[in-house]
Amino acid sequence: MELYGFASLNADQLARVQSFEKETGKRLLVLRPLDVYPAPLKGEELARLQALEKELGNIILAVR
């Protein structure tokens, strides 16, 4: 399973992304691969994680 997080961009890279967005009217998300793997969860842990997701209104991934 491949997971991605937001990339850190320098000023020039950010300017190039913003220029593309301005020219096309499209929003871009710049991602980079992460060196993480899914963490196994026990039944109770999974239930608690799902409750937290619902409470926060976001998707949460447990990784190792």
Side-chain angles (χ1 to χ4, degrees):
M1 169 190 239
E2 293 186 49
L3 297 175
Y4 296 87
F6 290 105
S8 296
L9 302 177
N10 63 35
D12 178 62
Q13 292 168 325
L14 180 58
R16 292 166 55 197
V17 169
Q18 290 172 329
S19 176
F20 182 92
E21 289 178 325
K22 185 177 178 182
E23 291 172 13
T24 64
K26 307 289 190 253
R27 183 183 300 180
L28 302 178
L29 297 177
V30 183
L31 306 175
R32 64 180 177 83
L34 299 175
D35 189 23
V36 295
Y37 302 91
L41 297 174
K42 297 176 183 175
E44 179 189 335
E45 294 170 329
L46 180 57
R48 290 177 57 200
L49 181 65
Q50 289 171 331
L52 184 57
E53 284 181 323
K54 186 174 182 178
E55 179 184 325
L56 299 177
N58 291 292
I59 295 171
I60 303 172
L61 301 175
V63 297
R64 55 182 164 90

